[in-house]
């Protein structure tokens, strides 16, 4: 069982749902990955609030049965998750180009 502190989010196209969460240790999870970790592995996700409060992230269902992430009711406005800053995009650095030198045994004359 692990505990993750969510520090940023990426919203879905409609901006009403969380598509991805970013944590203070650098890890990132899609909404479905975070839901699976909470439900199946017993992991805990939390959000820090002002004045030292911590809100636990839980899994809820829409009327249609779709699962989503939200924080336990703590009387704070705005919503704890939706008010977090947007995570910076992952920037994949391409590997450096490889220089291939044929071996002499392949018929290349030096």
């Amino acid at each position: 069982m692990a505990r993750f502190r969510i520090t940023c989010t990426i919203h879905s196209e409609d901006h009403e749902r969380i598509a991805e969460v970013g944590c203070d240790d650098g890890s990132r999870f899609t909404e479905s990955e975070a839901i699976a970790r909470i439900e199946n592995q017993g992991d805990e996700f939390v959000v820090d609030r002002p004045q030292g409060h911590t809100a636990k992230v839980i899994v809820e269902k829409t009327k249609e049965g779709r699962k989503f992430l939200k924080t336990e009711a703590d009387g704070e406005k705005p919503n704890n998750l939706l008010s977090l800053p947007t995570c910076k995009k992952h920037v994949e650095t391409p590997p450096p180009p490889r220089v291939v030198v044929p071996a002499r045994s392949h018929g290349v004359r030096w």
Side-chain angles (χ1 to χ4, degrees), residues 11-19 31 66 68-69 82:
H11 299 265
S12 65
E13 309 291 312
D14 60 13
H15 296 284
E16 290 296 320
R17 288 185 31 226
I18 302 297
E31 180 184 49
R66 190 189 68 74
F68 65 96
L69 297 173
L82 293 176

Side-chain angles (χ1 to χ4, degrees), residues 8-28:
C8 62
T9 60
I10 295 178
H11 299 265
S12 65
E13 309 291 312
D14 60 13
H15 296 284
E16 290 296 320
R17 288 185 31 226
I18 302 297
E20 189 174 327
V21 295
C23 302
D24 62 349
D25 66 355
S27 57
R28 288 214 179 157

Side-chain angles (χ1 to χ4, degrees), residues 94-109:
R98 291 179 38 187
V99 178
V100 179
V101 179
R104 290 180 191 240
S105 61
H106 291 150
V108 176
R109 296 199 179 258

Side-chain angles (χ1 to χ4, degrees), residues 43-80:
D43 289 346
E44 183 177 48
F45 289 81
V46 296
V47 175
D48 282 339
R49 293 296 296 161
Q51 297 138 6
H53 297 133
T54 300
K56 184 177 178 182
V57 177
I58 59 174
V59 178
E60 279 289 325
K61 284 186 180 180
T62 64
K63 294 176 190 174
E64 297 79 29
R66 190 189 68 74
K67 295 178 182 180
F68 65 96
L69 297 173
K70 70 175 242 174
T71 54
E72 289 182 326
D74 61 0
E76 298 284 333
K77 296 285 183 185
N79 177 289
N80 296 317

